[in-house]
Amino acid sequence: MDRDELRQALGDRPDARMRASQLALHLYKRAEDDLSRLTDLPKSLRDELLERFRVQPLEIATHRTSSDAVDKLLVHGGDGEVFECVLLPYEDRISCCISSQVGCPMGCKFCATGLGGFDRNLEPGEIVGQYLLLQRLSPKRISHVVFMGMGEPLLNLRHVVKSLKLLQKEIGLSYRHITVSTVGLVPQIYELAKEKLPIQLALSLHSAIDEVRDSLMPVNHKWPVEEVMKAMRDYGAATGRKITLEYLLIKGITDTPAQARELARVAYGAPLVVNLIPFNWVDTEQGFARPENERVRAFRGILEAKGINVTQRIERGHDIAAACGQLAGQHRGRFARRQLSALRSAL
Ligand code: SAH
Ligand code: SF4
């Protein structure tokens, strides 16, 4: 609920506006999760709120901390369907990575979440709830949010947009510090552009060659490279923001010199940055592997020689399976089940 909805929920009491502002301050700015501690509200109101509302819809199933100070939570909303969120402290900022769906229906072949199937969309309270849970763990304010946990945010566009507005208006984050990563759903990219929120949009491109992208990401059959790149360029033009292309380096498949040249060709000329992500090991049927550092350097070199802005993802939390879908996959035993069924069909 935003402040207006809080006010409406308080009914026609004369002090509804003031109480809604107090509530918003406690719940969002201070990440308070216990209504009985809000002693600047009258006791009768606290009791009424305690009876009618739930402040934190999420429960923690697992909490792991990595050797490099990454906290990963596996949470659920009471229905037993678990999803992940991660706290990422850097020297100059605190960031967090949150989920938009339980599982994901997009079926990308390299992704632990995609291989596990899809359960449901998350509610705005469950999306913002991840931020607030992580904020309670963090000694410093979380200033950056990336929608790179489980799920495809643009398949849950209404709830994601509502969450973006809550993060900005009530929690006080800058839209510029929020990144939404998408597999590339063209109509939804235009829908999101209409909202005119100056957030950072990142496209998971992963290959600029249609046949290869087709084989990795089923979405490419519907919206191939050229169409999705046009939508991204239009998005950048409509919002005035530089777009990001996420590029997954899978050894021998997406990290070849021919792939680099094609990527440089499609990226050329637009205000964008290419973010290279060496493949994080997931047990795939194709046996995908991570390229060695010198292959990554060579790939990067080809792009930079063509004048493309390149960054490389700083990876953290390897020892706690912090990458997309890995921890939830372990928890639900989906991979065990998948491997078992693969084994059965092979016999
Ligand atoms: N569904 C959205 C956002 C969640 S995935 C999307 O696909 O963009 C966040 C990022 O993690 C995406 O760029 C995705 O391609 C990447 N990713 C998925 N599996 C990965 C793996 N095994 N190694 C490295 N990155 C991976
Ligand atoms: Fe879904 Fe993103 Fe994983 Fe693809 S990479 S299956 S879109 S979460």
Side-chain angles (χ1 to χ4, degrees):
M1 288 183 186
D2 60 21
R3 205 168 291 224
D4 286 340
E5 289 163 325
L6 284 170
R7 183 169 50 79
Q8 281 160 23
L10 291 172
D12 50 12
R13 38 186 305 148
D15 59 354
R17 182 180 297 274
M18 181 184 92
R19 299 301 178 202
S21 294
Q22 282 176 301
L23 271 171
L25 188 74
H26 284 298
L27 303 182
Y28 292 119
K29 285 258 164 51
R30 299 188 183 139
E32 179 58 77
D33 63 349
D34 183 354
L35 287 169
S36 60
R37 278 203 293 255
L38 309 189
T39 47
D40 57 347
L41 297 181
K43 169 96 170 59
S44 58
L45 178 59
R46 265 181 280 152
D47 290 344
E48 183 196 326
L49 293 173
L50 273 166
E51 208 174 286
R52 289 177 56 204
F53 296 103
R54 214 154 41 127
V55 171
Q56 173 50 266
L58 302 179
E59 287 170 39
I60 298 177
T62 313
H63 178 178
R64 290 190 191 173
T65 305
S66 73
S67 53
D68 54 357
V70 170
D71 279 277
K72 178 157 186 162
L73 299 183
L74 197 58
V75 298
H76 62 85
D79 62 353
E81 295 288 6
V82 288
F83 50 97
E84 312 167 334
C85 52
V86 186
L87 179 67
L88 296 146
Y90 296 95
E91 250 167 48
D92 58 337
R93 64 179 194 277
I94 315 279
S95 181
C96 72
C97 176
I98 61 178
S99 296
S100 54
Q101 299 184 307
V102 183
C104 178
M106 298 308 302
C108 302
K109 301 284 193 269
F110 44 79
C111 172
T113 305
L115 292 171
F118 172 66
D119 289 305
R120 67 175 176 89
N121 280 336
L122 292 180
E123 297 291 318
E126 293 173 319
I127 298 174
V128 175
Q130 295 169 67
Y131 174 94
L132 294 172
L133 260 187
L134 294 169
Q135 181 57 73
R136 276 172 220 127
L137 292 180
S138 172
K140 287 196 204 146
R141 182 170 174 273
I142 306 175
S143 56
H144 290 66
V145 175
V146 297
F147 282 74
M148 291 193 189
M150 295 173 87
E152 167 49 43
L154 300 194
L155 281 180
N156 189 12
L157 190 61
R158 203 163 48 87
H159 291 171
V160 166
V161 166
K162 169 113 198 229
S163 307
L164 295 170
K165 291 180 178 169
L166 285 168
L167 287 167
Q168 194 264 348
K169 292 207 175 85
E170 303 299 351
I171 291 177
L173 294 185
S174 158
Y175 279 130
R176 288 168 189 275
H177 293 174
I178 305 177
T179 300
V180 172
S181 175
T182 177
V183 73
L185 303 169
V186 167
Q188 284 91 331
I189 293 174
Y190 285 105
E191 279 281 296
L192 181 62
K194 276 194 231 147
E195 295 281 339
K196 296 228 180 299
L197 310 175
I199 55 151
Q200 187 73 39
L201 189 64
L203 169 69
S204 293
L205 185 64
H206 305 339
S207 173
I209 298 176
D210 276 318
E211 299 80 75
V212 176
R213 196 164 189 266
D214 278 345
S215 73
L216 296 172
M217 306 168 74
V219 69
N220 198 64
H221 293 289
K222 191 137 193 195
W223 290 293
V225 174
E226 201 172 309
E227 278 182 48
V228 76
M229 282 300 299
K230 178 176 183 315
M232 288 299 289
R233 285 204 171 88
D234 290 347
Y235 184 92
T239 59
R241 297 304 315 270
K242 200 191 256 188
I243 55 175
T244 305
L245 300 181
E246 308 277 338
Y247 195 93
L248 183 62
L249 293 163
I250 304 177
K251 189 174 175 181
I253 297 175
T254 64
D255 72 341
T256 61
Q259 288 276 355
R261 286 192 294 273
E262 193 54 18
L263 174 58
R265 194 186 66 76
V266 306
Y268 190 75
L272 57 76
V273 55
V274 171
N275 188 24
L276 298 178
I277 318 164
F279 175 67
N280 234 310
W281 191 81
V282 169
D283 183 14
T284 60
E285 272 163 31
Q286 299 85 344
F288 292 147
R290 182 187 179 93
E292 295 80 15
N293 288 344
E294 61 268 29
R295 287 181 75 97
V296 176
R297 268 197 295 278
F299 192 93
R300 182 173 185 154
I302 295 173
L303 294 178
E304 285 176 339
K306 305 244 182 211
I308 309 289
N309 272 326
V310 187
T311 58
Q312 200 170 323
R313 183 180 288 179
I314 310 166
E315 292 173 291
R316 309 271 299 275
H318 271 297
D319 56 334
I320 57 160
C324 175
Q326 287 183 351
L327 185 57
Q330 287 173 6
H331 186 86
R332 305 160 107 192
R334 279 193 157 148
F335 300 114
R337 283 205 293 280
R338 192 168 57 77
Q339 277 165 344
L340 196 65
S341 66
L343 195 68
R344 283 208 186 104
S345 57
L347 286 174

